[in-house]
């Protein structure tokens, strides 16, 4: 199974991709997580990436295309994979095609802009494993502590309200055209993102059941 998950920032791509990864036993790769790891390590790529991310802009195509190329050529991807946050522009999608990667489906999680803004303000990320929480909709058992690994939770720099609006603009302008691109290939599946994580997961699993072996 080779799956792309797309959706506005904060639509719940990461959360759903973790669920699918577990159920289907295939790795999930988030370009956002990889970029944040590079930022944390302070690599030259991380330093470049941070300025774009904090401004709510996309990191240049050649940077993310490079990371994805390395990842997809590794052994762990031989049984399939989930791409979370890639491609995010038409040139990135074309680069994926040029790598000879044939996707099975593209899942778009649809959430209205007003909801996105509300959600992002409550988002918390684990500093240890990258798991994502929401203070109202998906709270950790103990405040600001990760259920999975016990590390502390933090607020992402790019979740500041004005940056969220910029990221939404970037999404509508640059990423959303991918829906037509993949619909034309017959790959697009749209699922409505719900208030509750479990409800969205149920809708996602239902939509993907047609691919079950
Ligand atoms: P979200 O989808 O919630 O915005 P991500 O963690 O997927 O969060 O991405 C965070 C930021 O990382 C993006 O706003 C962008 O700056 C950068 N980024 C992630 N993936 C890509 C990509 N495929 N192309 C360009 N920039 C990316
Ligand atoms: Zn954790």
């Amino acid at each position: 199974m080779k799956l792309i998950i797309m959706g506005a920032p904060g639509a719940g791509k990461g959360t759903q991709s973790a669920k699918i990864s577990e159920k289907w036993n295939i790795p999930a790769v988030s370009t956002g997580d990889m970029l944040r790891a590079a930022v944390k390590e302070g690599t030259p790529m991380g330093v470049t990436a941070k300025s774009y991310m904090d401004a709510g802009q996309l990191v240049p195509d050649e940077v993310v295309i490079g990371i994805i190329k390395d990842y997809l050529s590794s052994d762990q991807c031989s049984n399939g994979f989930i791409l979370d946050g890639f491609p995010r522009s038409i040139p990135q999608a074309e680069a994926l095609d040029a790598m000879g990667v044939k996707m099975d489906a593209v899942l778009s999680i649809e959430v209205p802009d007003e909801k996105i803004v509300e959600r992002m303000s409550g988002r918390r990320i684990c500093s240890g494993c990258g798991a994502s929480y929401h203070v109202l909709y998906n709270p950790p058992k103990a405040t600001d502590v990760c259920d999975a690994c016990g590390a502390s939770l933090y607020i992402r720099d790019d979740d500041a309200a004005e940056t969220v609006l910029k990221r939404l603009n970037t999404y509508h302008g640059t990423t959303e055209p991918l829906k037509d691109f993949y619909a034309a290939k017959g790959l697009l599946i749209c699922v409505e993102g719900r208030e509750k994580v479990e409800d969205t997961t149920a809708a996602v699993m239902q939509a993907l059941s047609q691919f079950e072996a």
Side-chain angles (χ1 to χ4, degrees):
M1 178 66 169
K2 295 181 186 140
L3 178 73
I4 290 169
I5 299 202
M6 56 177 290
K13 299 183 294 286
T15 306
Q16 297 306 325
S17 108
K19 307 261 184 208
I20 301 167
S21 167
E22 198 181 322
K23 176 153 186 215
W24 293 62
N25 199 21
I26 48 175
V29 52
S30 154
T31 41
D33 284 352
M34 286 176 158
L35 292 168
R36 276 186 290 282
V39 170
K40 205 170 161 189
E41 284 164 30
T43 65
M45 183 185 79
V47 173
T48 312
K50 185 169 173 38
S51 59
Y52 292 96
M53 294 167 82
D54 288 353
Q57 291 168 354
L58 293 184
V59 172
D61 287 338
E62 58 277 16
V63 175
V64 282
I65 291 168
I67 334 187
I68 281 293
K69 235 184 200 156
D70 287 348
Y71 183 82
L72 295 185
S73 57
S74 67
D75 286 347
Q76 49 187 323
C77 293
S78 50
N79 276 330
F81 49 81
I82 305 163
L83 294 180
D84 162 9
F86 183 92
R88 238 176 168 97
S89 65
I90 298 281
Q92 291 181 17
E94 289 169 346
L96 194 60
D97 280 349
M99 289 176 221
V101 178
K102 292 249 176 299
M103 303 308 298
D104 294 303
V106 176
L107 182 74
S108 171
I109 303 178
E110 309 277 322
V111 177
D113 285 6
E114 317 80 77
K115 283 275 163 212
I116 294 288
V117 174
E118 182 185 306
R119 284 185 186 189
M120 304 290 259
S121 60
R123 179 148 80 167
R124 299 292 180 273
I125 309 292
C126 173
S127 58
C129 70
S132 169
Y133 296 88
H134 189 283
V135 292
L136 298 178
Y137 305 128
N138 179 29
K141 294 196 179 78
T143 309
D144 289 334
V145 177
C146 179
D147 293 349
C149 77
S152 59
L153 306 185
Y154 71 98
I155 301 174
R156 265 169 50 175
D157 287 347
D158 60 349
D159 279 351
E162 54 309 346
T163 313
V164 168
L165 295 179
K166 288 192 195 131
R167 285 160 66 200
L168 271 173
N169 274 333
T170 306
Y171 174 74
H172 292 305
T174 310
T175 307
E176 211 167 18
L178 287 174
K179 281 164 58 180
D180 286 341
F181 180 92
Y182 285 117
K185 295 178 186 277
L187 296 179
L188 186 71
I189 302 171
C190 293
V191 164
E192 204 186 308
R194 314 292 168 87
E195 208 92 308
K196 283 196 179 147
V197 172
E198 311 86 84
D199 293 346
T200 307
T201 304
V204 164
M205 293 306 174
Q206 167 75 36
L208 294 181
S209 60
Q210 54 178 307
F211 297 99
E212 221 130 4

